[in-house]
Each structure stands twice: as structure tokens, then as C-alpha cells.
Amino acid sequence: PGDPQAANGIRWISGSIVDPEVRRLACAASVDVVFHLAGVPGGAAERDYDTGRDVNLLATLGLLEDLRNLHIRHRRAPR
């Protein structure tokens, strides 16, 4: 029959939040709600500073900028 997520208006995108192409795909259309669940837990982030910084800080900032740009294009902010 079809993709049950698409039938409910949900788009599922798998990939790394660090990858700008994945974030571009996520923000390719109007977005109503964002559930940001990506993250490197504290102990792992402390052991691998670069990965923790890239995922927990830089990619999250990238996502926020992408959503800001999406808001500018569509004149409405996601929740």
C-alpha cells in the first residue's frame, strides 16, 4: 500500500546531523515540527572531544541556521 509515515504527513530522514546534505533534505520543504534527538552523550563526548563538538554543538547550530533559513523562505517558523 504505501509508506505509513508519508500517509500521516511524516517524513523520516536517516543520516548524520553533521552532514549538511542530510540537513538540506530535512529542510527541503516546509517544516511544522522538529524533534532533534541527535547527540553524543557526556562520557562519550568527553572521550572524543571532536565528535562531541561536531555533533552536539556545530551540527546543532547548523540545524538551527538551516531552520532559520527555511523560516525566511516560507515565512513561518517550525515549533
Side-chain angles (χ1 to χ4, degrees):
D3 182 356
Q5 293 175 355
N8 291 321
I10 297 170
R11 284 187 313 132
W12 182 273
I13 299 169
S14 295
S16 173
I17 191 172
V18 175
D19 183 348
E21 180 64 15
V22 171
R23 293 194 322 262
R24 186 192 68 74
L25 288 171
C27 295
S30 182
V31 175
D32 294 320
V33 178
V34 174
F35 291 98
H36 172 7
L37 303 174
V40 177
E46 290 173 9
R47 283 189 298 281
D48 186 346
Y49 174 83
D50 292 335
T51 299
R53 181 199 61 220
D54 290 348
V55 173
N56 295 346
L57 177 62
L58 300 179
T60 298
L61 288 173
L63 176 62
L64 292 172
E65 285 295 319
D66 295 341
L67 292 169
R68 178 181 176 270
N69 292 332
L70 181 70
H71 167 66
I72 291 169
R73 285 195 312 270
H74 292 278
R75 300 276 189 232
R76 72 183 248 231
R79 296 173 276 154

